[in-house]
Amino acid sequence: MENSTEKRGGMNRRVFVTLFFCSFASITGVGIVVPLLPVYADSLGASGIYIGLIYGSYSLSRSLLLPFFGRRSDTIGRKPFIVAGLLGYTLVSLAFVYFKSVNELIVIRFFQGIASAMIMPVVQAYVGDVTPEGGEGFNMGMFNMSVFIGLSIGPILGGVIKDRFSLDMAFWCMGGLAMVAFFLSLTMLPAVALEKGAARECMPIPWRRLLSDRMILGLFVFRFSYTTCIGIIWSFLPVYAHDAFSISSSRIGVLVVLAIFISGLLQMPMGALADRRNKTAMIFTGGLTVAVAIGSLRWADGFTGIFLANCLFGLGGGICSPTHIALTVISGNRTRAMGSVMALMTLAHSLGMLNGALLAGLVMDISSIRNVFPLGSVIMAAGVIFCGISIMRSRGLQEEQKVRRAE
């Protein structure tokens, strides 16, 4: 029995390390080019709404297929989707090199969204499968570092590569990293038969039932609000910094990466804190900090103002994101539908990115891009309040159910 437990523990560590590096490599590759796309599309003559569509097409295809891939990974296994998605990322990277029009960029991003739908929710569900009870905040915070570090390094590399070489070289680098991640997942992850897959022992839970769970619904709305703010920043902060203040690509890369880097540094300590402290309070604190930060971009007067606002945004994200993912893992284990719950949260992420990109594009065309940032602040504050109330009501219902079962 002890020998079996040791083998399982060793396998879990190998799976975790493999997923960490696969996530890091794929996210870094995407981070290299995504911040460059708005300025690239702008140079091709794209209007604000078309820049929004370049980002939105990715979120649209991702949103349509996330529920399908998340649920299927609960029933047939995680590895096939991770491997196929990373191969898709590699092929899409090559397409960026050979297709150059605005309409073609929209189509390429649509297919990139399909590949993404196979990867992140399934990878996160896999990590949730091998995370011990009581360590959700620390373990998921540690894994989230792969995302935040990749997103931190990627934009800086992308800016440097574009300035010193070319945009096509940035696309080639993205493809190379995706290919490395593909081979790692293919060779290092155990066969499907050896996955934990507890959810495969029961029938899939209907989506309506999952969304009727107050905690899951609250976490969904919070993730949507938070990523709406990220969508606004990623889609239009580069254009804002370039057009309003003539900031270079390399410095834009630093601005985009700053909030992500700070959040990444805080993932493990805040995750460990979330395992011991009130998670609802941390959601409130981090979320409201994000709301203040994005609103302050409206009054930025140059590089320094944007720099300080992004530092504050990163601090807020570092407090609330590991807490959010810890509660998501707890909900996935409680409902025995880890893949489906992770898919819902990634769906909220995609819808938020889509909402942020399209809102920013519309406001930019109608009035001024500066006016988008206060709108993001209002959306974030509303999401925080709704999530906090939902979590407290959910816990009240769970306590009531425990009392009834005891009686």
Side-chain angles (χ1 to χ4, degrees):
M1 182 66 178
E2 290 181 0
N3 188 43
S4 175
T5 302
E6 289 175 3
K7 287 182 179 179
R8 172 60 65 181
M11 181 182 294
N12 288 352
R13 285 191 293 273
R14 189 184 77 177
V15 169
F16 183 91
V17 171
T18 301
L19 294 173
F20 184 97
F21 280 103
C22 285
S23 174
F24 169 77
S26 60
I27 293 294
T28 301
V30 174
I32 285 174
V33 299
V34 168
L36 302 175
L37 286 176
V39 177
Y40 177 49
D42 191 47
S43 71
L44 294 175
S47 65
I49 192 64
Y50 268 89
I51 295 175
L53 286 172
I54 288 172
Y55 277 82
S57 63
Y58 170 90
S59 298
L60 176 62
S61 60
R62 203 170 182 243
S63 301
L64 290 173
L65 291 170
L66 276 169
F68 173 77
F69 291 135
R71 171 161 289 180
R72 292 294 289 169
S73 77
D74 276 340
T75 57
I76 69 174
R78 317 288 190 205
K79 181 174 180 176
F81 295 100
I82 297 171
V83 172
L86 290 169
L87 177 60
Y89 256 15
T90 303
L91 298 176
V92 163
S93 303
L94 300 180
F96 276 115
V97 176
Y98 294 104
F99 298 96
K100 302 291 184 179
S101 75
V102 173
N103 289 332
E104 287 168 344
L105 287 179
I106 293 172
V107 173
I108 292 170
R109 288 282 288 169
F110 184 87
F111 282 100
Q112 190 176 35
I114 296 174
S116 177
M118 297 183 184
I119 301 172
M120 284 313 294
V122 181
V123 167
Q124 289 176 328
Y126 210 151
V127 175
D129 288 341
V130 299
T131 294
E133 185 177 353
E136 296 89 358
F138 179 79
N139 273 44
M140 296 308 294
M142 184 187 300
F143 174 76
N144 274 353
M145 287 184 66
S146 69
V147 177
F148 284 95
I149 294 173
L151 289 174
S152 299
I153 295 173
I156 294 177
L157 283 177
V160 171
I161 291 169
K162 178 182 178 294
D163 288 346
R164 295 194 177 183
F165 300 98
S166 68
L167 185 62
D168 281 352
M169 179 60 72
F171 292 139
W172 281 112
C173 290
M174 179 174 71
L177 285 169
M179 185 174 292
V180 170
F182 163 72
F183 281 113
L184 278 173
S185 64
L186 183 65
T187 58
M188 297 297 291
L189 292 179
V192 170
L194 298 178
E195 294 178 9
K196 180 181 176 181
R200 281 168 235 149
E201 299 170 4
C202 56
M203 293 294 292
I205 298 174
W207 295 112
R208 182 179 298 179
R209 181 178 165 190
L210 286 176
L211 284 173
S212 67
D213 185 297
R214 291 179 184 271
M215 182 175 290
I216 292 174
L217 180 60
L219 293 171
F220 182 94
V221 171
F222 183 91
R223 184 72 173 267
F224 171 82
S225 303
Y226 179 51
T227 52
T228 291
C229 296
I230 295 175
I232 290 170
I233 290 175
W234 273 70
S235 299
F236 284 92
L237 184 63
V239 177
Y240 176 49
H242 181 268
D243 291 351
F245 308 110
S246 300
I247 298 174
S248 69
S249 295
S250 298
R251 297 186 83 193
I252 289 173
V254 171
L255 289 175
V256 172
V257 77
L258 187 62
I260 301 164
F261 179 73
I262 293 172
S263 292
L265 289 178
L266 293 173
Q267 290 300 298
M268 286 180 64
M270 290 298 155
L273 186 64
D275 288 333
R276 302 191 303 270
R277 294 290 185 265
N278 189 306
K279 294 179 175 62
T280 307
M282 293 183 68
I283 287 277
F284 264 104
T285 302
L288 293 178
T289 302
V290 168
V292 171
I294 191 169
S296 68
L297 286 169
R298 168 67 176 80
W299 293 276
D301 57 358
F303 181 86
T304 301
I306 299 175
F307 182 92
L308 293 175
N310 277 356
C311 286
L312 189 62
F313 193 99
L315 174 63
I319 295 170
C320 67
S321 59
T323 309
H324 176 275
I325 196 66
L327 288 170
T328 302
V329 170
I330 291 169
S331 298
N333 283 324
R334 175 168 52 84
T335 57
R336 296 175 63 82
M338 187 71 74
S340 298
V341 172
M342 288 296 182
L344 280 176
M345 297 307 148
T346 313
L347 175 61
H349 183 105
S350 296
L351 292 176
M353 293 292 285
L354 174 62
N355 185 50
L358 294 181
L359 271 180
L362 287 171
V363 173
M364 176 181 171
D365 289 345
I366 293 171
S367 59
S368 167
I369 193 171
R370 283 181 179 267
N371 294 329
V372 173
F373 303 120
L375 179 59
S377 181
V378 171
I379 292 171
M380 186 71 237
V384 170
I385 294 169
F386 182 88
C387 180
I389 293 172
S390 298
I391 291 173
M392 288 186 287
R393 286 183 176 177
S394 173
R395 286 176 173 166
L397 286 173
Q398 290 175 32
E399 290 298 325
E400 184 179 329
Q401 290 169 357
K402 286 181 182 178
V403 170
R404 287 178 179 175
R405 284 196 294 267
E407 292 175 349

